[in-house]
mmCIF file with all atom_site columns, all heavy atoms in Angstrom:
data_model
loop_
_atom_site.group_PDB
_atom_site.id
_atom_site.type_symbol
_atom_site.label_atom_id
_atom_site.label_alt_id
_atom_site.label_comp_id
_atom_site.label_asym_id
_atom_site.label_entity_id
_atom_site.label_seq_id
_atom_site.pdbx_PDB_ins_code
_atom_site.Cartn_x
_atom_site.Cartn_y
_atom_site.Cartn_z
_atom_site.occupancy
_atom_site.B_iso_or_equiv
_atom_site.pdbx_formal_charge
_atom_site.auth_seq_id
_atom_site.auth_comp_id
_atom_site.auth_asym_id
_atom_site.auth_atom_id
_atom_site.pdbx_PDB_model_num
ATOM 1  N N   . GLY A 1 308 ? 68.994 93.263  27.208 1.00 98.00 ? 503 GLY A N   1
ATOM 2  C CA  . GLY A 1 308 ? 68.746 91.859  27.511 1.00 98.00 ? 503 GLY A CA  1
ATOM 3  C C   . GLY A 1 308 ? 67.358 91.419  27.107 1.00 98.00 ? 503 GLY A C   1
ATOM 4  O O   . GLY A 1 308 ? 66.675 92.112  26.374 1.00 98.00 ? 503 GLY A O   1
ATOM 5  N N   . PRO A 1 309 ? 66.899 90.244  27.545 1.00 98.00 ? 504 PRO A N   1
ATOM 6  C CA  . PRO A 1 309 ? 67.605 89.357  28.467 1.00 98.00 ? 504 PRO A CA  1
ATOM 7  C C   . PRO A 1 309 ? 68.866 88.768  27.843 1.00 98.00 ? 504 PRO A C   1
ATOM 8  O O   . PRO A 1 309 ? 69.007 88.751  26.628 1.00 98.00 ? 504 PRO A O   1
ATOM 9  C CB  . PRO A 1 309 ? 66.564 88.263  28.740 1.00 98.00 ? 504 PRO A CB  1
ATOM 10 C CG  . PRO A 1 309 ? 65.675 88.266  27.544 1.00 98.00 ? 504 PRO A CG  1
ATOM 11 C CD  . PRO A 1 309 ? 65.601 89.701  27.105 1.00 98.00 ? 504 PRO A CD  1
ATOM 12 N N   . TYR A 1 310 ? 69.780 88.319  28.689 1.00 98.00 ? 505 TYR A N   1
ATOM 13 C CA  . TYR A 1 310 ? 71.024 87.680  28.264 1.00 98.00 ? 505 TYR A CA  1
ATOM 14 C C   . TYR A 1 310 ? 71.909 88.583  27.416 1.00 98.00 ? 505 TYR A C   1
ATOM 15 O O   . TYR A 1 310 ? 72.433 88.145  26.388 1.00 98.00 ? 505 TYR A O   1
ATOM 16 C CB  . TYR A 1 310 ? 70.753 86.381  27.500 1.00 98.00 ? 505 TYR A CB  1
ATOM 17 C CG  . TYR A 1 310 ? 70.030 85.328  28.277 1.00 98.00 ? 505 TYR A CG  1
ATOM 18 C CD1 . TYR A 1 310 ? 68.655 85.157  28.129 1.00 98.00 ? 505 TYR A CD1 1
ATOM 19 C CD2 . TYR A 1 310 ? 70.697 84.523  29.189 1.00 98.00 ? 505 TYR A CD2 1
ATOM 20 C CE1 . TYR A 1 310 ? 67.976 84.189  28.852 1.00 98.00 ? 505 TYR A CE1 1
ATOM 21 C CE2 . TYR A 1 310 ? 70.032 83.557  29.920 1.00 98.00 ? 505 TYR A CE2 1
ATOM 22 C CZ  . TYR A 1 310 ? 68.661 83.388  29.744 1.00 98.00 ? 505 TYR A CZ  1
ATOM 23 O OH  . TYR A 1 310 ? 67.993 82.447  30.449 1.00 98.00 ? 505 TYR A OH  1
ATOM 24 N N   . ALA A 1 311 ? 72.057 89.843  27.805 1.00 98.00 ? 506 ALA A N   1
ATOM 25 C CA  . ALA A 1 311 ? 72.960 90.724  27.063 1.00 98.00 ? 506 ALA A CA  1
ATOM 26 C C   . ALA A 1 311 ? 74.245 90.895  27.850 1.00 98.00 ? 506 ALA A C   1
ATOM 27 O O   . ALA A 1 311 ? 74.269 90.744  29.064 1.00 98.00 ? 506 ALA A O   1
ATOM 28 C CB  . ALA A 1 311 ? 72.309 92.076  26.824 1.00 98.00 ? 506 ALA A CB  1
ATOM 29 N N   . ARG A 1 312 ? 75.310 91.228  27.131 1.00 98.00 ? 507 ARG A N   1
ATOM 30 C CA  . ARG A 1 312 ? 76.580 91.493  27.811 1.00 98.00 ? 507 ARG A CA  1
ATOM 31 C C   . ARG A 1 312 ? 77.095 92.859  27.375 1.00 98.00 ? 507 ARG A C   1
ATOM 32 O O   . ARG A 1 312 ? 77.398 93.057  26.196 1.00 98.00 ? 507 ARG A O   1
ATOM 33 C CB  . ARG A 1 312 ? 77.599 90.409  27.470 1.00 98.00 ? 507 ARG A CB  1
ATOM 34 C CG  . ARG A 1 312 ? 78.947 90.702  28.071 1.00 98.00 ? 507 ARG A CG  1
ATOM 35 C CD  . ARG A 1 312 ? 79.731 89.454  28.389 1.00 98.00 ? 507 ARG A CD  1
ATOM 36 N NE  . ARG A 1 312 ? 80.918 89.819  29.122 1.00 98.00 ? 507 ARG A NE  1
ATOM 37 C CZ  . ARG A 1 312 ? 82.145 89.407  28.816 1.00 98.00 ? 507 ARG A CZ  1
ATOM 38 N NH1 . ARG A 1 312 ? 82.329 88.574  27.830 1.00 98.00 ? 507 ARG A NH1 1
ATOM 39 N NH2 . ARG A 1 312 ? 83.169 89.807  29.535 1.00 98.00 ? 507 ARG A NH2 1
ATOM 40 N N   . LEU A 1 313 ? 77.181 93.787  28.342 1.00 99.00 ? 508 LEU A N   1
ATOM 41 C CA  . LEU A 1 313 ? 77.736 95.111  28.047 1.00 99.00 ? 508 LEU A CA  1
ATOM 42 C C   . LEU A 1 313 ? 79.101 95.205  28.694 1.00 99.00 ? 508 LEU A C   1
ATOM 43 O O   . LEU A 1 313 ? 79.233 95.086  29.914 1.00 99.00 ? 508 LEU A O   1
ATOM 44 C CB  . LEU A 1 313 ? 76.828 96.224  28.575 1.00 99.00 ? 508 LEU A CB  1
ATOM 45 C CG  . LEU A 1 313 ? 75.390 96.239  28.025 1.00 99.00 ? 508 LEU A CG  1
ATOM 46 C CD1 . LEU A 1 313 ? 74.659 97.487  28.528 1.00 99.00 ? 508 LEU A CD1 1
ATOM 47 C CD2 . LEU A 1 313 ? 75.389 96.214  26.496 1.00 99.00 ? 508 LEU A CD2 1
ATOM 48 N N   . ARG A 1 314 ? 80.120 95.434  27.883 1.00 98.00 ? 509 ARG A N   1
ATOM 49 C CA  . ARG A 1 314 ? 81.497 95.490  28.385 1.00 98.00 ? 509 ARG A CA  1
ATOM 50 C C   . ARG A 1 314 ? 81.988 96.931  28.424 1.00 98.00 ? 509 ARG A C   1
ATOM 51 O O   . ARG A 1 314 ? 81.326 97.838  27.920 1.00 98.00 ? 509 ARG A O   1
ATOM 52 C CB  . ARG A 1 314 ? 82.371 94.599  27.511 1.00 98.00 ? 509 ARG A CB  1
ATOM 53 C CG  . ARG A 1 314 ? 82.053 93.106  27.710 1.00 98.00 ? 509 ARG A CG  1
ATOM 54 C CD  . ARG A 1 314 ? 82.817 92.238  26.752 1.00 98.00 ? 509 ARG A CD  1
ATOM 55 N NE  . ARG A 1 314 ? 84.224 92.561  26.775 1.00 98.00 ? 509 ARG A NE  1
ATOM 56 C CZ  . ARG A 1 314 ? 85.071 92.351  25.748 1.00 98.00 ? 509 ARG A CZ  1
ATOM 57 N NH1 . ARG A 1 314 ? 84.640 91.807  24.636 1.00 98.00 ? 509 ARG A NH1 1
ATOM 58 N NH2 . ARG A 1 314 ? 86.341 92.684  25.858 1.00 98.00 ? 509 ARG A NH2 1
ATOM 59 N N   . PRO A 1 315 ? 83.197 97.155  29.009 1.00 98.00 ? 510 PRO A N   1
ATOM 60 C CA  . PRO A 1 315 ? 83.663 98.531  29.172 1.00 98.00 ? 510 PRO A CA  1
ATOM 61 C C   . PRO A 1 315 ? 83.595 99.357  27.888 1.00 98.00 ? 510 PRO A C   1
ATOM 62 O O   . PRO A 1 315 ? 83.970 98.895  26.817 1.00 98.00 ? 510 PRO A O   1
ATOM 63 C CB  . PRO A 1 315 ? 85.095 98.349  29.676 1.00 98.00 ? 510 PRO A CB  1
ATOM 64 C CG  . PRO A 1 315 ? 85.021 97.067  30.470 1.00 98.00 ? 510 PRO A CG  1
ATOM 65 C CD  . PRO A 1 315 ? 84.079 96.193  29.697 1.00 98.00 ? 510 PRO A CD  1
ATOM 66 N N   . GLY A 1 316 ? 83.088 100.563 28.037 1.00 98.00 ? 511 GLY A N   1
ATOM 67 C CA  . GLY A 1 316 ? 83.002 101.482 26.917 1.00 98.00 ? 511 GLY A CA  1
ATOM 68 C C   . GLY A 1 316 ? 81.693 101.394 26.152 1.00 98.00 ? 511 GLY A C   1
ATOM 69 O O   . GLY A 1 316 ? 81.484 102.140 25.205 1.00 98.00 ? 511 GLY A O   1
ATOM 70 N N   . ALA A 1 317 ? 80.809 100.485 26.547 1.00 99.00 ? 512 ALA A N   1
ATOM 71 C CA  . ALA A 1 317 ? 79.501 100.442 25.887 1.00 99.00 ? 512 ALA A CA  1
ATOM 72 C C   . ALA A 1 317 ? 78.684 101.637 26.377 1.00 99.00 ? 512 ALA A C   1
ATOM 73 O O   . ALA A 1 317 ? 78.587 101.889 27.575 1.00 99.00 ? 512 ALA A O   1
ATOM 74 C CB  . ALA A 1 317 ? 78.788 99.135  26.221 1.00 99.00 ? 512 ALA A CB  1
ATOM 75 N N   . ASP A 1 318 ? 78.145 102.390 25.443 1.00 99.00 ? 513 ASP A N   1
ATOM 76 C CA  . ASP A 1 318 ? 77.332 103.557 25.791 1.00 99.00 ? 513 ASP A CA  1
ATOM 77 C C   . ASP A 1 318 ? 76.025 103.410 25.021 1.00 99.00 ? 513 ASP A C   1
ATOM 78 O O   . ASP A 1 318 ? 75.978 103.616 23.805 1.00 99.00 ? 513 ASP A O   1
ATOM 79 C CB  . ASP A 1 318 ? 78.091 104.831 25.395 1.00 99.00 ? 513 ASP A CB  1
ATOM 80 C CG  . ASP A 1 318 ? 77.287 106.094 25.684 1.00 99.00 ? 513 ASP A CG  1
ATOM 81 O OD1 . ASP A 1 318 ? 76.035 106.031 25.786 1.00 99.00 ? 513 ASP A OD1 1
ATOM 82 O OD2 . ASP A 1 318 ? 77.917 107.169 25.795 1.00 99.00 ? 513 ASP A OD2 1
ATOM 83 N N   . ILE A 1 319 ? 74.983 102.998 25.713 1.00 99.00 ? 514 ILE A N   1
ATOM 84 C CA  . ILE A 1 319 ? 73.741 102.658 25.043 1.00 99.00 ? 514 ILE A CA  1
ATOM 85 C C   . ILE A 1 319 ? 72.789 103.855 25.137 1.00 99.00 ? 514 ILE A C   1
ATOM 86 O O   . ILE A 1 319 ? 72.367 104.252 26.220 1.00 99.00 ? 514 ILE A O   1
ATOM 87 C CB  . ILE A 1 319 ? 73.092 101.400 25.676 1.00 99.00 ? 514 ILE A CB  1
ATOM 88 C CG1 . ILE A 1 319 ? 74.144 100.284 25.852 1.00 99.00 ? 514 ILE A CG1 1
ATOM 89 C CG2 . ILE A 1 319 ? 71.902 100.948 24.842 1.00 99.00 ? 514 ILE A CG2 1
ATOM 90 C CD1 . ILE A 1 319 ? 74.855 99.850  24.583 1.00 99.00 ? 514 ILE A CD1 1
ATOM 91 N N   . GLY A 1 320 ? 72.456 104.407 23.971 1.00 98.00 ? 515 GLY A N   1
ATOM 92 C CA  . GLY A 1 320 ? 71.691 105.643 23.905 1.00 98.00 ? 515 GLY A CA  1
ATOM 93 C C   . GLY A 1 320 ? 70.230 105.474 24.316 1.00 98.00 ? 515 GLY A C   1
ATOM 94 O O   . GLY A 1 320 ? 69.730 104.354 24.455 1.00 98.00 ? 515 GLY A O   1
#
Side-chain angles (χ1 to χ4, degrees):
Y505 299 99
R507 176 150 188 230
L508 301 186
R509 290 175 51 205
D513 178 338
I514 312 303

